[in-house]
């Protein structure tokens, strides 16, 4: 397993790519209303990435994926394909997953949107999922085992009576969309990579209201909860610094710092 350590030039480019990915999520928020289709959301994001940002939507054509973004609604865990028949309704939840390429480097991030009026159940699921991601960031620093992140995420999620998806994980990122290491979101004693300064990877827990089991649909991409319960996901691209981490995809609506000093 080869993990690339990014140099100063690469980190600067990754910061730019990360900021652009975050900007797409900031831009699209005003459009997330009942009645819009996921296909329309995809077109708006595609045009923004291409024409405004002068960047490349990394998902389009990646291993045959047909669209520029992933839109995962309600029981869809990840990799949902935008389409004209998928019309958002009041109370739906949707994860929008954005990956862009700028100057050869990738920025990857996602967040949940609640369509129309939230209810107690979907608001709680989204909040716990986001907090599990935030909690894991407090442990990132050189010298720790990467499995600590998964342990902390799983512990927090299960304390709140939800479950963590096992089949999909975070990943290293840079010039390639997916690099080593894998970043699991649950306890796994065999995941023993030690973090080093200059590593860049995503943390992207997928959390279900019901069981953690999932099914892959016939389209080869869409992943749904096996029990049809709601699922949520948040994702950031993160740089390991000398004493903590830096979030490269932080959005303006978030209240956490962009840099974590994790010296304890």
């Amino acid at each position: 397993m080869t993990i690339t350590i990014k140099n100063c030039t690469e980190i600067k480019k990754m910061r730019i790519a990360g900021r652009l990915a975050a900007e797409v999520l900031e831009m699209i928020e005003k459009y997330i209303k009942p009645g819009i289709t996921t296909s329309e959301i995809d077109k708006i994001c595609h045009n923004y990435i291409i024409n405004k940002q002068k960047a490349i939507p990394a998902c389009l054509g990646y291993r045959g994926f047909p669209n520029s973004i992933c839109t995962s609604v309600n029981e869809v865990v990840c990799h949902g394909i935008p389409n004209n028949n998928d019309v958002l309704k009041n109370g739906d939840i949707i994860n929008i997953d954005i990956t862009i390429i700028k100057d050869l480097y990738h920025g990857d991030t996602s967040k949940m949107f609640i369509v129309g009026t939230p209810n107690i159940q979907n608001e709680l699921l989204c909040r716990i999922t986001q907090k599990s991601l935030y909690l894991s960031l407090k442990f990132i620093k050189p010298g720790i085992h990467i499995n600590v992140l998964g342990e902390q995420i799983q512990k927090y999620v299960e304390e709140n009576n939800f479950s963590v998806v096992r089949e999909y994980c975070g990943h290293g990122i840079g010039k390639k969309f997916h690099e080593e290491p894998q970043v699991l979101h649950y306890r796994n004693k065999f995941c023993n990579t030690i973090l080093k300064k200059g590593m860049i990877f995503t943390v992207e827990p997928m959390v279900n209201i019901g069981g953690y089991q999932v099914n892959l649909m016939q389209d080869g991409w869409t992943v749904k909860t096996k029990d049809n319960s709601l699922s949520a996901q948040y994702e950031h691209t993160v740089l390991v610094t000398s004493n903590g981490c830096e979030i490269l995809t932080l959005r303006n609506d978030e209240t956490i710092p962009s840099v974590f000093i994790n010296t304890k």
Side-chain angles (χ1 to χ4, degrees):
M1 179 176 69
T2 302
I3 300 174
T4 62
I5 303 298
K6 273 62 177 184
N7 60 37
C8 291
T9 300
E10 291 176 305
I11 289 169
K12 287 179 181 178
K13 291 181 178 182
M14 293 289 289
R15 285 193 181 108
I16 293 170
R19 177 86 282 274
L20 292 175
E23 282 179 4
V24 181
L25 291 177
E26 294 167 354
M27 175 278 301
I28 200 62
E29 182 159 17
K30 65 183 178 183
Y31 296 97
I32 308 302
K33 296 177 181 179
I36 195 170
T37 67
T38 54
S39 180
E40 289 172 309
I41 295 169
D42 175 69
K43 289 175 184 175
I44 293 167
C45 291
H46 175 88
N47 290 334
Y48 186 83
I49 293 167
I50 295 291
N51 299 321
K52 178 73 173 180
Q53 297 184 329
K54 308 299 182 186
I56 299 170
C59 289
L60 186 59
Y62 180 76
R63 296 182 178 175
F65 192 81
N67 292 84
S68 294
I69 66 172
C70 297
T71 52
S72 302
V73 182
N74 293 335
E75 75 278 6
V76 178
V77 176
C78 60
H79 305 158
I81 300 174
N83 68 87
N84 290 319
N85 297 321
D86 207 356
V87 182
L88 297 187
K89 305 180 298 298
N90 186 63
D92 283 346
I93 59 173
I94 177 173
N95 176 272
I96 298 180
D97 194 343
I98 305 291
T99 309
I100 68 99
I101 305 169
K102 184 72 170 182
D103 199 11
L104 301 179
Y105 286 83
H106 291 73
D108 190 3
T109 187
S110 80
K111 68 166 284 190
M112 299 301 300
F113 298 87
I114 298 176
V115 183
T117 306
N119 61 50
I120 293 174
Q121 186 181 53
N122 61 28
E123 192 280 330
L124 179 62
L125 173 64
C126 292
R127 179 158 48 87
I128 294 302
T129 306
Q130 186 176 45
K131 283 189 174 181
S132 75
L133 168 58
Y134 288 170
L135 177 65
S136 71
L137 302 179
K138 297 178 180 179
F139 292 86
I140 297 175
K141 62 181 179 180
I144 75 152
H145 284 82
I146 202 166
N147 61 11
V148 171
L149 309 185
E151 289 176 357
Q152 296 300 322
I153 289 169
Q154 183 179 9
K155 180 174 181 290
Y156 179 75
V157 167
E158 292 181 352
E159 284 174 351
N160 285 277
N161 300 311
F162 295 143
S163 64
V164 179
V165 171
R166 307 311 202 247
E167 283 86 348
Y168 300 88
C169 61
H171 53 88
I173 187 168
K175 274 191 174 181
K176 294 181 180 178
F177 196 158
H178 295 92
E179 301 178 351
E180 294 293 345
Q182 291 189 341
V183 183
L184 304 184
H185 305 117
Y186 61 97
R187 299 181 195 92
N188 187 315
K189 64 182 180 180
F190 300 109
C191 188
N192 55 10
T193 299
I194 296 175
L195 298 186
K196 296 180 180 179
K197 179 183 177 182
M199 285 184 180
I200 297 181
F201 51 79
T202 69
V203 185
E204 46 183 300
M206 289 154 256
V207 176
N208 300 343
I209 280 183
Y212 63 80
Q213 296 88 353
V214 300
N215 288 328
L216 177 64
M217 299 296 101
Q218 288 186 342
D219 61 28
W221 286 103
T222 306
V223 178
K224 294 185 178 182
T225 56
K226 188 173 183 179
D227 57 11
N228 290 315
S229 63
L230 293 177
S231 185
Q233 179 188 22
Y234 284 83
E235 174 183 15
H236 273 311
T237 298
V238 180
L239 162 70
V240 181
T241 64
S242 59
N243 56 7
C245 68
E246 177 183 346
I247 306 170
L248 304 183
T249 48
L250 191 72
R251 302 182 306 278
N252 289 330
D253 62 278
E254 296 180 271
T255 57
I256 60 171
S258 61
V259 175
F260 283 71
I261 307 298
N262 301 326
T263 54
K264 293 183 179 180

